[in-house]
Amino acid sequence: CFYCYKSATCHKSSLQDQKYVINKKSYFELPEIVYVFSNKIGALFWSPNVLNILGYTPAQLSNDPFLWYNSIHPEHKPNVDEAIENSKKGITFDIEYKIQTKDGNWIWLHDRHVNSHVVDDEVIIEGLASDITKYKVTTERVGKERDKAKNYLDIAGAIIVALDIHGQITEINRKGCSILNVSKEEVLNKPWFD
């Protein structure tokens, strides 16, 4: 009923009885990947949902314990490396990064620190990783549409102002700033009707 793993240090030392335990009952019900990672020997454990998210079975990842780490996008590896290093100091992390799936697609993961153990210079991290690709794609699309809308506002030949429910200015176009002879920063979050 429990999955046990040992750190690389435990394998090499006389501390053979030192074990870290994960309760299977809880990780089978989560949509995330529950994982355990050692900076010395790679990934030690993955919940079955790794197949749904990354396309690899736990057995395939066992054959290449650094496959997950090596699949992280090069632009995002420094953030992951920093999170691993900070875990040695007891600092938790909550990061997002791109990772390549088995079929070659890039997805976004939201990776959260749950717990860590430090033995000598080895850190063992227990974490949860969620696929947030849909959220990231939607956010990017909304941002592009917002930028397009701002461009349309800026080419208009009249004052265009957006107000919140309290009458505070949340957006003003260039023409509006020009006619009022103010900078955007001077009027944003100020009341329009004063």
Side-chain angles (χ1 to χ4, degrees):
C1 158
F2 290 91
Y3 177 84
C4 300
Y5 63 91
K6 292 184 180 183
S7 72
T9 306
C10 290
H11 286 298
K12 294 175 190 171
S13 74
S14 61
L15 301 173
Q16 293 297 321
D17 58 338
Q18 186 174 357
K19 294 180 182 180
Y20 303 101
V21 179
I22 298 174
N23 186 334
K24 279 187 179 181
K25 191 180 194 181
S26 61
Y27 72 70
F28 272 114
E29 298 168 3
L30 296 174
E32 293 96 350
I33 300 169
V34 176
Y35 69 88
V36 179
F37 176 83
S38 160
N39 66 323
K40 296 295 181 187
I41 57 177
L44 301 169
F45 171 79
W46 316 260
S47 61
N49 209 21
V50 73
L51 178 63
N52 299 331
I53 295 175
L54 295 179
Y56 296 103
T57 65
Q60 288 171 311
L61 289 171
S62 292
N63 292 331
D64 185 354
F66 282 97
L67 179 59
W68 178 321
Y69 177 80
N70 292 333
S71 298
I72 295 169
H73 195 283
E75 289 178 13
H76 298 259
K77 264 203 180 143
N79 293 340
V80 173
D81 291 337
E82 181 181 8
I84 293 168
E85 278 302 308
N86 284 341
S87 291
K88 288 181 182 177
K89 302 170 194 168
I91 301 170
T92 63
F93 61 83
D94 188 329
I95 59 175
E96 297 176 354
Y97 56 86
K98 276 184 162 178
I99 188 167
Q100 194 168 35
T101 62
K102 183 179 180 182
D103 62 8
N105 292 321
W106 289 99
I107 66 167
W108 282 92
L109 287 184
H110 178 206
D111 196 338
R112 280 120 32 235
H113 176 274
V114 173
N115 196 11
S116 58
H117 313 276
V118 179
V119 181
D120 297 325
D121 64 341
E122 179 183 24
V123 62
I124 299 168
I125 301 167
E126 298 172 20
L128 288 173
S130 307
D131 182 355
I132 59 165
T133 306
K134 288 179 184 175
Y135 166 78
K136 294 295 269 188
V137 168
T138 301
T139 302
E140 185 179 321
R141 284 184 186 153
V142 168
K144 285 180 182 178
E145 291 302 318
R146 184 178 49 243
D147 292 344
K148 277 187 202 177
K150 283 184 180 183
N151 286 337
Y152 292 135
L153 291 177
D154 285 337
I155 61 172
I159 295 176
I160 299 178
V161 177
L163 306 175
D164 67 13
I165 61 171
H166 305 290
Q168 304 278 23
I169 300 169
T170 59
E171 188 61 55
I172 186 167
N173 67 345
R174 277 191 224 144
K175 188 67 173 180
C177 290
S178 174
I179 291 170
L180 297 173
N181 196 28
V182 294
S183 71
K184 191 174 197 174
E185 292 75 28
E186 289 177 274
V187 295
L188 284 182
N189 301 313
K190 300 284 196 273
W192 177 253
F193 298 107
D194 278 354

